[in-house]
Amino acid sequence: MEIIDAHQHLWQLARLECQWPTPDLTPIYRDFSAADFNAVSGPVGVSGSVLVQSQPCAADTEYLLQQAEVNAGVGAVVGWADLAAPESPRCIAQLALHRKLRGLRPMLQCIAEPDWIIQPAQAPGLEAMITARLSLDALISSRHLGAIRQLAARYPELNIIIDHGAKPNIAEGQWGDWYEPLAALAAQANVSCKLSGLITEAATSAELTQTGRYIEALWRLFGPDRLLWGSDWPVLNLQSDYPSWLTFCRQWLNANAPEAEAAVLAGNAKRLYRIQ
């Protein structure tokens, strides 16, 4: 069965724009290359990926696009652009000329105002994304869900993909104030969600077993057509490892939704990110 990892990262610590990860994050405080990714993903049957930005700057996007050019397995790149800049429509149009750029991620979790994305200053950039057929990856937590719902309703032509299930605090059992607004957001047909990053939100002592309830919730809300599997590698290494996360998700799908496994593991990522 074909598997497309809908969320992975690459970085080089020596690059000037690389401000994260920090030295305290020992398991991931080193360079991670495409060869490193292939070494962990290839043996478990992953044939392609979506490469996602990790630094909020244009230089990181250029670096990822360069990596995509020389790595055939990278089917799409989600970069970064300053949506608040007056020149953002021009910059976005220029970025969109790259054959593998398929989306942008403004790293909303790092912005103090939870409604930043729906403020007037961001409208020209968002409209430029729609014109260029670029998706918006939403790196958010529960505090942003109301604003993303407004965004989805305002721009039904904008393909919005929620990263990491909106990062529920699994370790502390967060539920209602995550699930209820996410359910309201999921009612918008232009919103999809990644089955990635959940393991990093779980308690170390429980790890994979804690995430099952949240996977079930995401399946219930987004179903077979709007749920994408991703690893969030190498951030995944903070809590687990690549084969364990993939195996756990495949076992859950086999037990609960075997008819949707192909779509969740590859088909939805290929369609939503327009991977050739």
Side-chain angles (χ1 to χ4, degrees):
M1 179 177 291
E2 183 180 20
I3 303 175
I4 302 292
D5 186 338
H7 201 103
Q8 59 113 169
H9 305 286
L10 301 176
W11 56 68
Q12 292 180 332
L13 297 180
R15 291 182 62 86
L16 293 177
E17 73 272 11
C18 190
Q19 303 300 310
W20 190 91
T22 48
D24 57 301
L25 299 172
T26 305
I28 62 173
Y29 188 65
R30 66 171 181 85
D31 293 350
F32 286 94
S33 68
D36 294 325
F37 175 73
N38 294 337
V40 297
S41 64
V44 292
V46 175
S47 59
S49 70
V50 178
L51 182 55
V52 181
Q53 62 83 226
S54 61
Q55 315 297 322
C57 65
D60 185 52
T61 303
E62 291 301 322
Y63 167 68
L64 297 184
L65 291 173
Q66 291 166 10
Q67 293 298 305
E69 279 300 306
V70 296
N71 291 283
V74 176
V77 171
V78 175
W80 178 92
D82 185 358
L83 295 182
E87 66 274 14
S88 67
R90 177 182 58 80
C91 293
I92 290 168
Q94 187 66 31
L95 280 173
L97 296 176
H98 193 284
R99 66 189 186 95
K100 288 190 177 181
L101 188 81
R102 292 292 184 267
L104 296 174
R105 187 170 83 147
M107 299 193 80
L108 300 178
Q109 73 170 10
C110 302
I111 298 173
E113 307 98 316
D115 64 346
W116 179 88
I117 193 64
I118 56 172
Q119 293 172 8
Q122 281 59 262
L126 291 166
E127 290 162 4
M129 289 179 63
I130 294 170
T131 299
R133 299 180 64 201
L134 296 178
S135 298
L136 174 76
D137 259 50
L139 178 60
I140 60 171
S141 62
S142 55
R143 70 187 182 97
H144 302 94
L145 289 168
I148 298 298
R149 182 185 181 191
Q150 292 183 56
L151 181 73
R154 184 180 299 174
Y155 298 110
E157 307 92 345
L158 180 64
N159 179 33
I160 300 172
I161 303 176
I162 306 300
D163 289 347
H164 316 326
K167 301 188 75 170
N169 189 339
I170 298 175
E172 296 186 6
Q174 182 185 18
W175 189 258
D177 60 343
W178 165 77
Y179 182 82
E180 292 174 10
L182 186 61
L185 174 59
Q188 300 288 336
N190 56 325
V191 180
S192 303
C193 186
K194 290 184 186 179
L195 196 60
S196 62
L198 297 178
I199 187 63
T200 348
E201 304 301 322
T204 303
S205 58
E207 294 185 348
L208 291 168
T209 55
Q210 268 196 332
T211 68
R213 182 188 185 200
Y214 294 84
I215 292 174
E216 181 182 0
L218 294 175
W219 166 256
R220 187 162 58 245
L221 295 179
F222 293 96
D225 299 323
R226 295 187 292 148
L227 197 62
L228 301 76
W229 180 80
S231 68
D232 195 25
W233 180 92
V235 183
L236 170 73
N237 295 347
L238 290 171
Q239 198 79 310
S240 185
D241 61 79
Y242 203 100
S244 296
W245 176 241
L246 176 58
T247 298
F248 180 79
C249 292
R250 294 197 72 174
Q251 289 175 342
W252 191 94
L253 287 166
N254 286 331
N256 297 278
E259 74 287 353
E261 187 177 15
V264 173
L265 292 180
N268 293 339
K270 293 177 73 173
R271 172 174 51 84
L272 292 167
Y273 285 113
R274 299 183 287 119
I275 296 174
Q276 303 299 319

